Amino acid sequence: MRVQFLLPFVCVMLLGGCSGPSRQAPASLPSEPSTLKSVSPVAPPPGNLADFQAKAAQYHAIITLPPFETTSNAIAASAKATIHDADAALDKIGRLTPQEVTFQNTAVALDDAQWLISETENRFEIIKETSPDAALRDTATERLKALQEWAVGLDYREDVYRALKAFADTRPKLEGEDAKLLFETMRDYRRAGLDLPKEDRDEVEALRKKLSDMTTDFETHITDAQQKLNFTKNELEGVSADFLEQKGVKNDDGTFTVRPNITWHYLTVEENCKREDTRLKVQTARDNLARGENVPLLQQILVTRDDLAHKLGYKTWADYQIEVRMAKTATNAQSFLGRLKTGLQPKFDAELAEFRALKVKETGDANTQIHLWDWRYYANQLKKEKYTIDEEQLKIYFPYERVLDGMFAIYQRIFGLKFYRMEPPYKWVSDLQLYGVTDAQTGEPLGLFYLDMFPREGKYNHFAQFDIIEGKLLDNGDYQRPTVALICNFPAPAPGKPSLLEHEDVTTLFHEFGHAMHSILTRAKYSRFSGTSVPRDFVEAPSQMLENWTWDKRVLDSFAADYRDPSKKIPADILDKLKEAKLAIEGTYYRRQLSFGVVDLALHTQIHASNADDTVPLSNELEGEVFLPEPPDTAFVAYFGHLMEYDAGYYGYAWADSIAADMATVFEKAPDGYFDVSAGRRLRKEIYEVGDSRDIEESIEKFLGRKQSIEPFLKKLGINAEAQGTK
Ligand SMILES: [Zn+2]
């Protein structure tokens, strides 16, 4: 099996703002049989899209097919029209006198304008990532960039700010989602420096511009960084012939070139090469990539961020960034990481001891230690020795269609939904699928989702859910229901051979489709709060929770079966082995994750103009303390791209994992486990429908029926929290 050692990426693509409350009482829950007897197929289509839209109208809901542009001219025209319409809407707000301002014509009108812009941006994003036509992709990319740059300037429209402020100054008595909308809109302005005296505000704007340029440069240096190392065959002992025969690896003179900047080169050597000196060389080279350019640049970026935070009234950049997230302060995020570090210590020690035992056996050196350049190799050895799992053998249980239908059956059941396949009037690729979602009990149409599931030239190459049309209450009282797309890269079917998924692919599908549910089931009034527009340290949690489903024998048995003989289910011992293999290195995996979170927060709380030279020593010291010491004379932070886009946010991965484990207990303790209808409806009502329209902590507690706890997460990692005193 493959275990993910790479840095995770954020897989829900967000362009717009974020959060909202439930406006509708949930339907009472029908009682359902306690086991899924068989995979129930997707319900028959209710005719076509037009019928679906007509049905929606009965519920004052609008179902919209995105008007995808199919020519470069059409893209340019849409960009122009969007700028024109948004400018007109903003001009209208900007012209209001203090006597004229209302909640509707300021805060709501601004949310409307932002929604309008995001619709076009989202559509361009889809074209950019999926169009089979390279020229169209290029135009969409170019126009999207121009649109986004233009949209940044909207924060600084003083006329609009003055109208919003005039309304806020009336101290209106607003409640719930309305109050949150006004509060957060004004908070955004404050965070952009709009409430500062002109001179200071100009300085803030200039610093932001400078930061934006510097972070772009930092990322460009990472992309451009290259390094080549030459090795003999002997020095690469243990690395597969497949790799050594690769074009660009094998040289005419019989040597081999490894490029530490190519992640799979780096991983292949670190996981497989028997020679410690080779692993060390590759690790050292990797941790020095972009060092010359990026160390001084990073120092400048950190100092500028620190400066900017002070100008905006924050103690540190981390406090500024985290203010709008669940953790709220840098101290909260740091103390979370601290507790997790302590909790993981015994498991991490035990795993390192196991790696060390393997190294002692292999090297004959009783005093040998596990270093940063060793752990991947011995983790891989451990996997091979103790948990032999043949991925190929497992794939026969996961034919794509069966997995998709199985997942649909589970999600329809627990969330009380029906999915209807319909023919998309426009397809950007021939195998594109479109589905409508309705409430199973009332028949109310809730939204649409596209599936674009197989790889092709020029297509987005990860797995993600993309919002296209975000949910929002319209002026006339109708509700604009969402349209989303899943853009994935599962193995394509071949003639006579179905697409067979790896277990990891199945987990990814359950995860990504969870984001689609989060988007589609929204009832938030404002697009700022609807769907997945929740704080970034929470957005992955519900989907991470749903990953548990694919490790449950009962869930898997409801759909997974040998495609040649569906009476054959996955043998229990294979699944157990898979779980053991995952658990065997989780202490190491998370301590490494934590080390990055700790470094990220330390740099964004402790580095100032007076000590910028400490950037590299501080990072290396903390990395060594929380994970394993860096090779001598290296500067891994120069190549740590997350410090740009995800600054003071890396802690969020573990933070969301911890909430996910906590939330999973609701299903685990429910009578019907991962099939439990009442737990599923609670997730729909308290998390998905609400979005960010109320404080996310409140939503989580309503779903849990209690306060949050870190214990289920530690328990999942095989740690007894009470014994560790980490409660
Ligand atoms: Zn995700």
Side-chain angles (χ1 to χ4, degrees), residues 10-12 511-512 515 540 543:
V10 174
C11 59
V12 45
H511 176 113
E512 297 305 335
H515 289 312
E540 294 297 335
S543 281

Side-chain angles (χ1 to χ4, degrees), residues 336-356:
F336 167 76
L337 294 183
R339 270 181 302 155
L340 204 50
K341 176 176 174 265
T342 310
L344 283 164
Q345 191 71 48
K347 177 137 173 67
F348 182 48
D349 289 343
E351 290 175 13
L352 287 183
E354 212 165 348
F355 298 158
R356 202 180 85 81

Side-chain angles (χ1 to χ4, degrees), residues 441-514:
Q441 211 184 28
T442 65
E444 177 189 5
L446 297 170
L448 299 171
F449 63 88
Y450 287 99
L451 300 181
D452 177 353
M453 305 300 252
F454 303 110
R456 62 179 174 272
E457 179 78 33
K459 181 183 152 176
Y460 177 72
N461 62 7
H462 292 292
F463 300 75
Q465 192 257 176
F466 290 71
D467 285 330
I468 310 177
I469 295 172
E470 290 156 33
K472 175 175 182 55
L473 185 67
L474 303 173
D475 276 354
N476 65 0
D478 287 351
Y479 195 96
Q480 173 66 58
R481 298 302 318 170
T483 300
V484 307
L486 243 62
I487 315 284
C488 299
N489 287 280
F490 295 112
K497 196 172 172 276
S499 160
L500 296 177
L501 307 188
E502 292 189 9
H503 179 261
E504 194 184 348
D505 294 329
V506 179
T507 307
T508 301
L509 182 62
F510 271 69
H511 176 113
E512 297 305 335
F513 200 73

Side-chain angles (χ1 to χ4, degrees), residues 517-543:
M517 294 287 90
H518 203 163
S519 293
I520 289 172
L521 298 178
T522 195
R523 301 259 185 212
K525 285 200 281 189
Y526 307 115
S527 68
R528 180 190 178 95
F529 300 137
S530 79
T532 53
S533 302
V534 293
R536 201 158 172 181
D537 50 3
F538 176 71
V539 68
E540 294 297 335
S543 281

Side-chain angles (χ1 to χ4, degrees), residues 362-619:
E362 195 175 287
T363 61
D365 175 2
N367 297 316
T368 193
Q369 294 300 320
I370 290 295
H371 301 293
L372 188 70
W373 49 94
D374 291 326
W375 74 273
R376 290 180 196 278
Y377 176 74
Y378 290 103
N380 194 21
Q381 293 300 108
L382 186 72
K383 219 164 62 187
K384 283 185 188 164
E385 279 190 19
K386 256 177 110 171
Y387 311 103
T388 28
I389 296 159
D390 185 348
E391 270 289 353
E392 289 301 312
Q393 200 199 336
L394 202 55
K395 276 160 74 171
I396 58 167
Y397 299 100
F398 299 125
Y400 167 78
E401 296 288 345
R402 187 172 266 279
V403 173
L404 188 70
D405 284 349
M407 179 192 69
F408 278 173
I410 292 165
Y411 285 12
Q412 287 178 102
R413 174 194 164 94
I414 63 179
F415 300 132
L417 303 170
K418 279 208 160 45
F419 302 158
Y420 297 92
R421 184 153 171 199
M422 43 186 88
E423 190 56 24
Y426 161 72
K427 292 181 176 186
W428 57 80
V429 60
S430 63
D431 61 5
L432 185 73
Q433 296 184 351
L434 177 67
Y435 290 82
V437 179
T438 66
D439 181 278
Q441 211 184 28
T442 65
E444 177 189 5
L446 297 170
L448 299 171
F449 63 88
Y450 287 99
L451 300 181
D452 177 353
M453 305 300 252
F454 303 110
R456 62 179 174 272
E457 179 78 33
K459 181 183 152 176
Y460 177 72
N461 62 7
H462 292 292
F463 300 75
Q465 192 257 176
F466 290 71
D467 285 330
I468 310 177
I469 295 172
E470 290 156 33
K472 175 175 182 55
L473 185 67
L474 303 173
D475 276 354
N476 65 0
D478 287 351
Y479 195 96
Q480 173 66 58
R481 298 302 318 170
T483 300
V484 307
L486 243 62
I487 315 284
C488 299
N489 287 280
F490 295 112
K497 196 172 172 276
S499 160
L500 296 177
L501 307 188
E502 292 189 9
H503 179 261
E504 194 184 348
D505 294 329
V506 179
T507 307
T508 301
L509 182 62
F510 271 69
H511 176 113
E512 297 305 335
F513 200 73
H515 289 312
M517 294 287 90
H518 203 163
S519 293
I520 289 172
L521 298 178
T522 195
R523 301 259 185 212
K525 285 200 281 189
Y526 307 115
S527 68
R528 180 190 178 95
F529 300 137
S530 79
T532 53
S533 302
V534 293
R536 201 158 172 181
D537 50 3
F538 176 71
V539 68
E540 294 297 335
S543 281
Q544 282 164 342
M545 177 193 77
L546 289 166
E547 292 182 15
N548 287 295
W549 271 236
T550 67
W551 296 87
D552 182 81
K553 176 94 170 102
R554 205 171 138 237
V555 167
L556 292 177
D557 282 350
S558 75
F559 62 86
D562 189 331
Y563 75 102
R564 298 157 307 186
D565 175 5
S567 70
K568 290 187 182 150
K569 303 287 186 189
I570 296 178
D573 61 322
I574 294 191
L575 190 63
D576 289 344
K577 272 248 162 80
L578 207 60
K579 283 188 207 170
E580 281 170 27
K582 183 167 181 260
L583 194 59
I585 55 159
E586 290 233 292
T588 308
Y589 170 83
Y590 276 105
R591 279 292 284 249
R592 179 167 172 269
Q593 286 284 93
L594 289 190
S595 73
F596 294 141
V598 166
V599 167
D600 172 32
L601 287 176
L603 294 180
H604 290 109
T605 51
Q606 294 175 34
I607 296 295
H608 315 285
S610 57
N611 67 348
D613 288 345
D614 290 348
T615 299
V616 171
L618 177 68
S619 305

